[in-house]
Amino acid sequence: MVTTRKSSSKETTLKKKMGPYARKTILTTAVVVAMVAVVLAAKWLRSSGVIDGFLADYPGHARLPETSPTGFPAWLGWQHFLNMFFLVLIIRSGWQVRRTTRPDAYWTRHNKGFIRTKGSPAKISLDLWLHLSVDILWLINGLVFVILLGVTGHWMRIVPTSWDVIPNALSAAVQYASLDWPTEDSWISYNALQLLAYFLVVFVAAPLAFATGVRMSGIWPQQAARLNRAYPIAVARSVHFPVMVFFVLFVVVHVFLVLTTGVLRNLNHIYAGTDDAGWLGFGLFVGSLVVISATVVLARPVFLRPVASLMGKVSKR
């Protein structure tokens, strides 16, 4: 009897240990199978000739206004670097906030100066302080980016201006899926699928991240009963994390395409502002990775405490 109970207990323990691993294995296998199926289906569509007419009519590039600018100005390169820099820190700190149960340090805002409230400021983890602080910098950078897009006319490169962007995006998606990728010339224009992706990132995902982040932050008026009923915090939480996952997936796909569709030329576009295959852009890219990696390594309590102390009180509890 004792042996049976011990055996049952061991089996239960084993199932608990194997549960997450098994689920991850099944999920990974399902994703791989689905990707292979998509590739095979796309290849069949293209080889069968069923969509030849569609691809001829919609090659993957939507029409842009005649006044649409070309090239990548210097400000866009800086904006790209800062966005990448802030986004990496946001994702890392957000993941730490989500996964850490016992933070190493806490931060309480000084209730004086420019920001002053009637109630006592809430104590938050140092990870959350970093997350919110970088969020603010990311939003400022994004606001500057949108303003410059409007002033310079570069908004036309990432905002749909004609309905043919939809069939062209479908065409580009089929071409990507079939592993026979559409012709790229991002110096002139993005293909329709890229255009829609950038539009979603800038004008949908980023505002969603802001709107849900504000609802979950301490600046939200907790006593506003009607407002809280209209916009429950549970809704914000259910959207905020998927938005982060979307950003991660976008970054992964974006980097993959940059590296596999003419890496030197692509890096020169965004880092050096030139349309050639030299090594300057690659060197600047490597330098940016060094800066970002060093910042991630240094984003620890021992280095964050002095900075956080300038704006509040840092404590262990």
Side-chain angles (χ1 to χ4, degrees):
M1 187 71 174
V2 175
T3 304
T4 304
R5 288 180 178 176
K6 287 184 178 180
S7 177
S8 177
S9 177
K10 288 182 179 179
E11 289 178 1
T12 303
T13 303
L14 183 60
K15 286 181 180 179
K16 288 182 179 179
K17 290 182 178 180
M18 292 296 292
Y21 175 77
R23 286 194 294 270
K24 290 179 181 179
T25 302
I26 293 172
L27 179 60
T28 302
T29 303
V31 170
V32 172
V33 170
M35 291 175 65
V36 171
V38 168
V39 170
L40 293 176
K43 282 184 171 294
W44 176 82
L45 282 173
R46 298 199 67 177
S47 62
S48 65
V50 174
I51 59 172
D52 285 352
F54 175 77
L55 294 180
D57 293 337
Y58 303 102
H61 287 267
R63 294 191 307 272
L64 296 182
E66 293 182 359
T67 56
S68 176
T70 60
F72 295 82
W75 64 263
L76 188 58
W78 278 104
Q79 287 285 317
H80 181 272
F81 165 71
L82 290 174
N83 182 68
M84 179 174 64
F85 178 80
F86 294 140
L87 196 57
V88 169
L89 289 177
I90 287 172
I91 292 173
R92 179 182 181 273
S93 59
W95 184 252
Q96 287 179 316
V97 170
R98 185 178 178 87
R99 302 292 295 179
T100 302
T101 55
R102 294 183 179 180
D104 294 328
Y106 293 87
W107 178 82
T108 306
R109 175 177 56 83
H110 290 316
N111 199 19
K112 57 184 180 180
F114 179 72
I115 301 177
R116 186 179 302 176
T117 57
K118 292 182 179 180
S120 300
K123 182 186 294 185
I124 61 176
S125 69
L126 198 59
D127 291 330
L128 182 55
W129 168 82
L130 175 63
H131 186 72
L132 295 175
S133 299
V134 180
D135 273 341
I136 294 173
L137 297 176
W138 180 65
L139 289 170
I140 294 173
N141 184 65
L143 181 61
V144 172
F145 174 68
V146 171
I147 292 174
L148 289 174
L149 281 179
V151 171
T152 62
H154 275 266
W155 64 269
M156 288 180 277
R157 289 169 58 93
I158 65 169
V159 175
T161 56
S162 62
W163 285 107
D164 71 337
V165 69
I166 296 176
N168 274 294
L170 291 174
S171 172
V174 171
Q175 293 176 64
Y176 278 123
S178 67
L179 305 183
D180 185 6
W181 294 354
T183 303
E184 298 290 339
D185 191 1
S186 58
W187 186 262
I188 303 299
S189 66
Y190 299 117
N191 68 51
L193 191 60
Q194 290 174 317
L195 187 153
L196 288 180
Y198 290 132
F199 176 78
L200 287 175
V201 167
V202 176
F203 297 105
V204 178
L208 274 177
F210 168 71
T212 54
V214 168
R215 179 62 182 90
M216 295 163 58
S217 71
I219 67 174
W220 184 266
Q222 301 298 330
Q223 305 303 321
R226 291 184 178 179
L227 187 60
N228 290 332
R229 284 196 299 270
Y231 185 15
I233 191 171
V235 173
R237 286 173 177 164
S238 65
V239 174
H240 197 71
F241 182 71
V243 169
M244 186 199 77
V245 173
F246 169 79
F247 273 113
V248 172
L249 293 176
F250 171 81
V251 170
V252 170
V253 174
H254 177 66
V255 172
F256 174 76
L257 291 177
V258 167
L259 297 178
T260 56
T261 58
V263 58
L264 293 180
R265 191 180 180 202
N266 288 334
L267 292 177
N268 272 331
H269 283 177
I270 198 63
Y271 277 94
T274 60
D275 187 27
D276 58 57
W279 287 88
L280 177 59
F282 180 81
L284 294 173
F285 169 67
V286 172
S288 69
L289 291 183
V290 171
V291 172
I292 293 173
S293 300
T295 304
V296 169
V297 171
L298 294 175
R300 301 175 183 277
V302 64
F303 298 109
L304 294 177
R305 284 192 185 98
V307 181
S309 297
L310 298 175
M311 295 169 278
K313 178 184 177 182
V314 179
S315 59
K316 291 185 177 181
R317 294 183 180 179

